[in-house]
Amino acid sequence: MNADTRFTLVLGGGGMKGLAHIGVLQALAERGLRPSHIVGSSVGALIGAAWSAGRDLAQLRTIAIALRRKEVFAVAHADMALKRMRSPALFRREPLQALITQLLEDVTFQELDPPVVVNSVDVNSGMQVFWGLEGLDDVPVADTVFASCALPGYLPPREIRGRFYMDGATVENLPVSITRTLGAEYVVAVDVSASTALRADVQDEGFTAVYARATEIAMQSLLELRLRGWTTPPVYYIHPRVEHVGLFAFDRLREVVDEGRRATIEALDRPAEWPQAGDAGVYPRRRVRVRVERERCIGCGACLAFGPPGMFVLDTDGKAVVTQSEQEWTPVDGGFIRHCPTYAIGARPLANAEFGMRNAESKAASGSGDSP
């Protein structure tokens, strides 16, 4: 990718982990790379819109790493005391609204450069609405960003045009689907979700932690389904390693911003992994070897249910066997590994040369190699 490449930047949601998007934008700017559009969900919409509205990245970084919990999330004690189960949300709207106003003021969609599309969901109909598209660009950007940040249960929905909207992550936390309408050659998608990180003792941290974890798991499952059959435009997936940071954690903000920059620089320094003209699907691709630890396998068949069709079979002893151990994976492949209840399935990276040599041996053995 070079400075002339037309690409759409997709910035996903993830609570305070989403401040990594500031580092992503810093890394792109350092390489002279500017997206033709930004599509954002939740905090991704906030960061993308603030930058497009003219906020300096150094200034955004300073604001981000200085944030304190009370400046974003304040428990709605009065609502919960008076309304109880009918309280609109756990947190008050005012602190987040003040932050959004500070960053966006009264900017309009027409003033954003590059253009920004904000992902939200109608809380009553379930309709996914992308503000900033034609016919959906005559409302205050700040209102749509608040709606996109309004994670159900945590922040109240925002009224826009007489209807109420909540966080677009409810349907699509990494909103790549709309990029097909924006005419980009590539999509660079930045995912700051929890991925498949194993957590410890969530059950002991209260209902908000359990609900947050459930939200993360749902987002990851929806993302895998969305990208599994993706074709065009090709998506390059960047995943800053921030999955160990909680949705509402404020003690690692500097680390989060810096990790966004590091992950993006690492991706840009590997041009061979990026899709070429005419390519389709999700990148980068990884060559891996999948194996089953036979002594751990209990024959439950979860791998048959969650793995690609035909990838696993059960042998005469009822143990799982991999039919093709060496594969090329996208970043959203391999989810079946975490569904094995005995952790019997694993995968390790293969060097390109090793993968190519073994593929050639396999073809030769089957008689399917190319003719000389």
Side-chain angles (χ1 to χ4, degrees):
M1 190 165 67
N2 56 53
D4 297 325
T5 302
R6 183 177 174 82
F7 71 98
T8 295
L9 179 64
V10 177
L11 304 177
M16 303 316 297
K17 294 178 290 188
L19 296 181
H21 295 317
I22 297 172
V24 171
L25 289 167
Q26 286 179 317
L28 292 173
E30 290 166 7
R31 300 295 178 92
L33 300 172
R34 184 178 178 84
S36 59
H37 287 82
I38 293 177
V39 180
S41 189
S42 194
V43 67
L46 175 58
I47 299 302
W51 177 69
S52 293
R55 288 288 180 179
D56 180 76
L57 287 172
Q59 181 188 30
L60 284 177
R61 185 180 191 278
T62 299
I63 293 172
I65 63 179
L67 281 174
R68 298 296 177 262
R69 182 181 300 274
K70 65 181 181 180
E71 298 171 326
V72 184
F73 302 115
V75 176
H77 292 292
D79 275 346
M80 289 193 292
L82 297 173
K83 300 179 181 179
R84 303 197 178 205
M85 295 300 291
R86 295 185 67 84
S87 175
L90 175 64
F91 298 124
R92 295 167 50 216
R93 71 177 75 240
E94 290 83 4
L96 179 60
Q97 183 64 62
L99 176 62
I100 292 173
T101 300
Q102 175 191 355
L103 294 177
L104 297 177
E105 298 178 344
D106 57 355
V107 69
T108 67
F109 277 102
Q110 291 73 26
E111 294 172 308
L112 297 179
D113 182 24
V116 174
V117 176
V118 177
N119 180 32
S120 70
V121 171
D122 184 319
V123 70
N124 289 297
S125 71
M127 178 191 303
Q128 190 173 10
V129 177
F130 292 100
W131 303 104
L133 296 180
E134 185 72 28
L136 294 168
D137 57 357
D138 59 347
V139 297
V141 175
D143 283 352
T144 69
V145 168
F146 187 98
S148 190
C149 291
L151 187 64
Y154 290 105
L155 289 161
R158 171 54 57 91
E159 183 179 2
I160 304 174
R161 290 180 171 178
R163 300 193 66 83
F164 290 84
Y165 297 89
M166 60 183 177
D167 192 345
T170 310
V171 172
E172 189 178 12
N173 188 45
L174 193 65
V176 296
S177 58
I178 198 63
T179 63
R180 289 188 168 122
T181 72
L182 301 178
E185 298 176 51
Y186 300 100
V187 174
V188 177
V190 185
D191 179 19
V192 292
S193 67
S195 183
T196 56
L198 181 65
R199 298 295 177 88
D201 301 322
V202 173
Q203 73 283 350
D204 297 328
E205 298 175 12
F207 80 91
T208 57
V210 173
Y211 182 71
R213 181 55 177 156
T215 301
E216 292 175 337
I217 293 169
M219 288 178 182
Q220 178 67 23
S221 298
L222 288 171
L223 174 63
E224 291 175 1
L225 288 172
R226 181 81 63 172
L227 291 183
R228 191 166 294 147
W230 186 266
T231 53
T232 57
V235 171
Y236 189 92
Y237 175 95
I238 297 176
H239 187 200
R241 307 311 307 190
V242 294
E243 62 267 33
H244 59 289
V245 179
L247 285 173
F248 309 117
F250 284 78
D251 57 342
R252 291 179 169 176
L253 301 184
R254 185 186 301 271
E255 172 192 342
V256 165
V257 175
D258 291 344
E259 171 57 16
R261 180 176 177 274
R262 184 210 63 79
T264 306
I265 289 174
E266 180 181 67
L268 295 172
D269 284 343
R270 297 180 175 179
E273 294 184 347
W274 287 69
Q276 305 300 312
D279 285 344
V282 181
Y283 294 80
R285 304 292 174 86
R286 298 174 297 161
R287 292 176 168 87
V288 300
R289 177 182 293 131
V290 181
R291 64 187 298 268
V292 176
E293 293 188 36
R294 190 174 179 82
E295 62 277 11
R296 287 190 175 188
C297 179
I298 57 174
C300 67
C303 53
L304 279 68
F306 292 104
M311 182 174 177
F312 294 95
V313 296
L314 299 182
D315 64 15
T316 54
D317 295 324
K319 301 285 187 176
V321 176
V322 187
T323 59
Q324 184 180 349
S325 61
E326 293 175 9
Q327 301 187 9
E328 185 176 65
W329 279 4
T330 74
V332 293
D333 287 324
F336 56 83
I337 290 177
R338 71 176 181 274
H339 292 295
C340 176
T342 59
Y343 303 98
I345 306 172
R348 72 173 183 85
L350 283 175
N352 288 355
E354 182 182 1
F355 182 84
M357 178 183 68
R358 292 189 175 275
N359 266 357
E361 290 173 350
S362 175
K363 287 182 179 180
S366 64
S368 60
D370 295 333
S371 299

